[in-house]
Structures are given as C-alpha cells and as structure tokens.
Amino acid sequence: MRFEELPTPCYVVDHELIERNLKILNGVMQRTGAKIVLAQKAFSMTAMYPLIGQYLSGTTASGLYEARLGHEEMGKENHVFAPAYREDEIDRIIEICDHIIFNSFSQLEKYKDRALAAGRKVGLRINPECSTQVGHEIYDPCSPGSRFGAKRDQVRPELLEGVTGLHFHTLCQQNSDDLATTLDAVEEKFGEFLHGMEWINFGGGHHITREDYDLETLDACINRMKDKYNLQVYLEPGEAIALNAGYLVTSVLDLHQNGLDIAILDTSATCHMPDVLEMPYRPPLEGSGESGEKPYTYRLGGQTCLTGDVIGDYSFDQPLKEGDRLVFGDMAIYSMVKTNTFNGMPLPAIAIKYADGDCKVVREFGYEEFKVRLA
Ligand SMILES: *Cc1c(COP(=O)(O)O)cnc(C)c1O
C-alpha cells in the first residue's frame, strides 16, 4: 500500500534508512574487527531482525524477555546485562545467552560458576566514574549514587578468576570524543585488569549514525584497546541502529481553541511517544516550523485525559483541518518499545516502508492488547 493509505496512528520504519545505518555500523566492524550488537531496549522490531542480522553480530538484552527475543528472532551472538538476575531466571538466561555480564561482585559470586560451567563468557560491568554528560543525570550511569557497575575500590580480585571481559556503558547520544575521554578513565582505573581479559564492551550511547559523528576517533578508540591489550571490542548501540529511520503517522481529529489554536491528534505523547515527555524532546514534524515561524501555529495534543499530553507547538503554511495527516520523524527508537495503553489508548500499527515506496503493515493492535494487561 502507499504511505498515504496507511491506517493511523502507525509507526512506519524505513527499510532503506535502517539499511543505511547498518552499513555505517558494519563499516566500523569491517575496518576494526569490532563486533556490534543491537541493544534491543531501544528497538525491538523483530520484523527487521533478519535485515539487522545480515550486518551486525547479534543482540544484547537487559533481562530474560529481551534475551529470549534475540535468541528466537535473530539467533546470533546473544549478550545480556542486568543490574541483578533473579534466581528463577538465571538458568534460562545461561541457556540462551553466550555473554553474561554481571553488575557487582556479589552477583558474580552467586552465579559466575554456573555460567562458566555452561561454557558461557562471563563479564563484569565497571563504573569508571567518568561523567561526560552534564545536566542529564537520569541518563548518566556514572552520576553520584548510580546503581550501575563495580567501582575500582569494590574490586575483589579473587572473584575475577574466569571473568574474561569488562563492560562499561556511560554514554547517551554522544560522539566519539566522549568515548575517548571515558577510555582514559577506564584505563586509569582498571588498566591493570585489562591485560588479563579477552574482550571489552564499550556499551551503547554511541551516536555512530548521526551526521556529525566522528568515525575516525571511534576506530582509533577500538584499535587502541585491540593493540594495547589484545582485546576483542564489542559495542552495543541501540539508537544508532534506527536513528532517524522511523515515523509516527497520525491524523487530526479535531480543532479546538483556548487562547491559542489546538489540534487533537489520534495519538498521545504519553502513550505513543513517552520520551517526548520523559527525556524530554521535541520530535521533528514534516512540513512544520517552530511556534510562530509559519503563519498558522497549533498546539498538538493527544487523545488522553492527561493535561500534559502535549507534543508541542508547531506552525504550518496552511491551516490544519480535520483528517489532515501529520508525520512525526525519528520515531523508531525508544518509542515503539515504550508504548502503553493508558486511558484505553489503542497502540499504533507497525509498518515497513520499502525503498520503492511500497508500505506493508506488519502488525495491528486492538482492544485485546488493552484488556490482557489488566485483571
Ligand atoms: C541503553 C543501553 C544500551 C543502548 O544505548 P543507546 O543509547 O540506545 O545506544 C546499551 N547497553 C546498555 C547496558 C544500556 O543500558
């Protein structure tokens, strides 16, 4: 079907743009020997996993369910990290994951031997205590009081026996200069342990597919760990895989007025684009300008009862009218994975747009998805 014929609301992921991102990531792998896995937390669209699996080394998970998804839908390398594992889940995790990363020495002590006995690679998440993002504490695992990773003074060397890799994840939407800074801290604090390791995982938060991303510095960072310590380098970006590669198509349901013009859309910030409120950020909207930039400005709001269910103020060349379709950009990452049915909002359909412009709806949702979550 054509893009204009898609039902709304609908997430549309652009096959060509995903592949473009994957080629950039695969280029890093080819040039450096690093392995890149998809952090499913950001993007778990299984319909795209066969394509992603052609370019990347596998998946990483934040727990059992994502680990199962990677195992069932991609079936390549399957890494996992969780702040703590549950006793009733760890055996299944060990069964389906090849790299198991622990957050603390107490977790290592509890589960390491079982993972090793199953032939799994065991890693430790470290906290290099190096914040490279300011004013962004909920996305900074090195912020004071963070629950992530073992600090240098918590290391119990006797428990590192059998641990073959170190993992850090400290970045969020950052460029490779911040990675280089972080590596300095990692070497300064944990360098003595790196010589005995086989691999290092640089985590996610690398905005590798962003236009201004400095690939040369990334390559140099990887080569530095490879040459100095003979390590296999892993990266596990989420955002970079689907950055700017998806849309949320919505329709105008009604127009309203309260000191300013308001348009009610068949979507919801809090249900379909929660990061707009949580992060927060202003999603790009095709053909629109900032408030007041074009002649007709509207506040775009959602269908729920939440007063703050507002996407933002946008301006247009023409007045909006009922039935107009609005296309929000950069809606693949951290949107589909975070949807909810608060207030009985339906979930958007999910579609793929192919290079020739043809679109295919791969999943639609209804009342059942709202009902099964409650009892
Ligand atoms: C969130 C997360 C990622 C992916 O981060 P992006 O910002 O989406 O690249 C990778 N690894 C870990 C441990 C994470 O928590």
Side-chain angles (χ1 to χ4, degrees):
M1 83 178 42
R2 290 183 304 120
F3 191 81
E4 296 72 29
E5 294 167 340
L6 289 166
T8 67
C10 184
Y11 293 111
V12 186
V13 169
D14 192 311
H15 194 274
E16 198 176 14
L17 294 177
I18 294 276
E19 193 160 21
R20 177 196 156 275
N21 286 346
L22 291 169
K23 284 183 172 153
I24 294 171
L25 296 166
N26 188 263
V28 176
M29 296 169 58
Q30 298 292 336
R31 288 192 304 276
T32 64
K35 292 186 177 180
I36 300 184
V37 295
L38 163 72
Q40 298 175 91
K41 177 183 74 185
F43 186 67
S44 309
M45 185 173 169
T46 49
M48 304 301 279
Y49 278 24
L51 176 71
I52 296 170
Q54 284 175 35
Y55 291 95
L56 302 188
S57 299
T59 42
T60 188
S62 318
L64 178 59
Y65 289 177
E66 284 184 355
R68 275 187 62 180
L69 201 69
H71 176 70
E72 291 171 10
E73 300 292 327
M74 197 174 307
K76 298 186 73 177
E77 281 195 32
N78 204 20
H79 299 224
V80 64
F81 161 82
Y85 295 102
R86 295 173 59 103
E87 179 59 47
D88 58 1
E89 293 184 347
I90 189 74
D91 289 327
R92 179 72 175 132
I93 283 175
I94 289 171
E95 196 182 319
I96 60 177
C97 295
D98 39 79
H99 287 68
I100 300 163
I101 296 154
F102 295 98
N103 191 50
S104 66
F105 279 87
S106 45
Q107 284 271 297
L108 261 186
E109 190 167 28
K110 194 167 174 189
Y111 296 127
K112 179 185 77 168
D113 290 341
R114 274 198 248 174
L116 289 174
R120 300 315 185 201
K121 295 205 185 291
V122 168
L124 172 72
R125 180 164 176 172
I126 56 170
N127 178 349
E129 298 176 75
C130 173
S131 289
T132 50
Q133 31 182 332
V134 256
H136 222 191
E137 285 201 349
I138 75 160
Y139 296 107
D140 180 8
C142 294
S143 60
S146 154
R147 67 190 184 288
F148 291 116
K151 300 211 285 193
R152 176 62 187 88
D153 62 7
Q154 296 169 324
V155 171
R156 293 159 63 187
E158 71 281 6
L159 285 175
L160 286 178
E161 175 84 42
V163 175
T164 52
L166 294 184
H167 172 286
F168 65 84
H169 169 71
T170 66
L171 306 180
C172 179
Q173 303 188 334
Q174 280 162 282
N175 214 316
S176 44
D177 52 341
D178 289 330
L179 172 62
T181 304
T182 303
L183 280 185
D184 291 342
V186 167
E187 280 199 271
E188 186 200 316
K189 297 205 168 63
F190 296 93
E192 62 183 292
F193 305 112
L194 288 176
H195 290 287
M197 296 289 159
E198 291 170 17
W199 51 277
I200 185 166
N201 187 323
F202 290 178
H206 317 277
H207 246 190
I208 301 170
T209 50
R210 199 175 70 200
E211 219 154 79
D212 67 341
Y213 189 86
D214 175 3
L215 287 166
E216 259 175 53
T217 299
L218 173 64
D219 289 4
C221 285
I222 295 167
N223 290 332
R224 172 174 159 190
M225 290 294 117
K226 214 170 67 176
D227 298 343
K228 191 161 172 190
Y229 303 100
N230 196 25
L231 295 170
Q232 170 66 54
V233 174
Y234 283 95
L235 291 107
E236 47 180 31
E239 289 213 4
I241 280 91
L243 190 64
N244 290 314
Y247 318 94
L248 176 59
V249 187
T250 68
S251 297
V252 175
L253 295 179
D254 194 25
L255 298 159
H256 197 58
Q257 236 283 338
N258 180 10
L260 75 172
D261 288 310
I262 297 166
I264 313 287
L265 310 183
D266 63 354
T267 185
S268 158
T270 193
C271 298
H272 301 162
M273 41 181 111
D275 272 355
V276 164
L277 304 180
E278 214 174 285
M279 183 115 184
Y281 78 106
R282 175 189 167 89
L285 171 57
E286 272 180 22
S288 76
E290 296 292 322
S291 174
E293 187 183 333
K294 291 172 181 269
Y296 303 96
T297 294
Y298 294 84
R299 177 156 298 171
L300 304 180
Q303 254 186 303
T304 73
C305 297
L306 173 71
T307 303
D309 191 356
V310 166
I311 302 149
D313 294 355
Y314 294 79
S315 65
F316 302 87
D317 291 322
Q318 301 295 329
L320 290 181
K321 53 186 193 312
E322 201 183 307
D324 280 354
R325 290 160 76 93
L326 300 182
V327 180
F328 292 95
D330 201 16
M331 278 291 160
I333 42 180
Y334 292 108
S335 49
M336 253 186 270
V337 290
K338 280 193 161 188
T339 52
N340 64 76
T341 55
F342 167 64
N343 227 177
M345 273 300 287
L347 297 172
I350 297 175
I352 301 174
K353 175 171 179 273
Y354 293 96
D356 62 3
D358 190 37
C359 293
K360 185 175 167 220
V361 175
V362 289
R363 189 105 144 84
E364 285 184 279
F365 304 94
Y367 169 65
E368 277 309 310
E369 281 75 28
F370 169 58
K371 188 177 175 187
V372 295
R373 302 181 49 187
L374 304 162

